[in-house]
Every structure is written in C-alpha cells, then in structure tokens.
Amino acid sequence: GLGLDPDQFNIWHSSQQAPGQFNFIGYNNPTIDKLLEQGRLELNPDKRMKIYHEFAKVLLEDSPIVYLSAGYGLTAIHKRVKGIDSGAIVTNKIKLPRCLLARMPNIELIWI
C-alpha cells in the first residue's frame, strides 16, 4: 500500500472506494484492477516490475488525477530527537493530525 513496495492497490484499485479508504476519487478501471491484483501475486521481481510498469503506463494514459504540486517537505525525525512538538507544527496553516503520528510510534513528523 503506502510503503517502499510499488504496490499501489490501496490507492487505485476500484475496491478501495469506501469511506476511509485511499481511492477517494472513485477511480475505476478493470485493467488497472487486474494489473494490481497480478502484481500482488507475482513473486518474481522481474515479472512483477513488468506488471507495475504496465500499470504505470495505463494509469498515465488515464491520468485520473493531475498533481499540481508535491509536498517534498515531509521529514521523519526519530523519537530519540527531543524538543520538537510535532502536534504544534503548522505548514500552510494546516496542523498535522495526531492520528497520522499515532500510526508511526517510532517517528515524529515535521514540515520544514
């Protein structure tokens, strides 16, 4: 889902459109669904890479969302670093939610 693995099932698969899930734009493409399902099952890294490259190609052709900006300022700070109140850090007048921080107990997040 949302890690180092290229699996983007949680974001783009049509089954992930319920409240609280990540496909909040309602994107639905049977080809994308099939590729995401195949990618999750494939254990051979070379075959898996080809599946995800095809997924990226189809997604680009559809362009269900256009990114106008990307927030590259998100920094992870190990909990050993002291003196940073991550709950009080504000960027663009948006306070970071504590629920996001609760999911990652070993780090604190700040915007720089």
Side-chain angles (χ1 to χ4, degrees):
L2 298 176
L4 297 176
D5 190 87
D7 177 13
Q8 296 189 32
F9 185 95
N10 293 340
I11 300 170
W12 300 112
H13 197 276
S14 64
S15 69
Q16 303 299 301
Q17 297 179 26
Q21 292 181 312
F22 287 108
N23 186 354
F24 55 85
I25 65 168
Y27 180 67
N28 188 343
N29 180 324
T31 301
I32 287 290
D33 287 352
K34 180 180 174 187
L35 290 167
L36 288 170
E37 291 161 9
Q38 289 174 346
R40 280 191 151 186
L41 297 174
E42 184 56 62
L43 299 178
N44 180 305
D46 293 329
K47 290 179 182 178
R48 195 162 192 239
M49 180 177 65
K50 288 179 184 177
I51 291 168
Y52 284 130
H53 282 182
E54 182 62 22
F55 157 79
K57 179 181 171 187
V58 174
L59 190 66
L60 178 62
E61 289 170 2
D62 278 359
S63 291
I65 189 168
V66 177
Y67 297 96
L68 300 178
S69 67
Y72 292 110
L74 186 61
T75 303
I77 305 281
H78 194 278
K79 68 180 181 178
R80 292 182 310 211
V81 176
K82 302 297 180 197
I84 298 174
D85 180 5
S86 59
I89 295 171
V90 177
T91 181
N92 296 328
K93 300 180 182 176
I94 299 172
K95 190 171 183 176
L96 292 176
R98 291 192 185 278
C99 64
L100 175 65
L101 300 173
R103 292 182 185 175
M104 300 175 230
N106 293 325
I107 62 171
E108 294 202 10
L109 304 175
I110 64 169
W111 287 90
I112 296 179

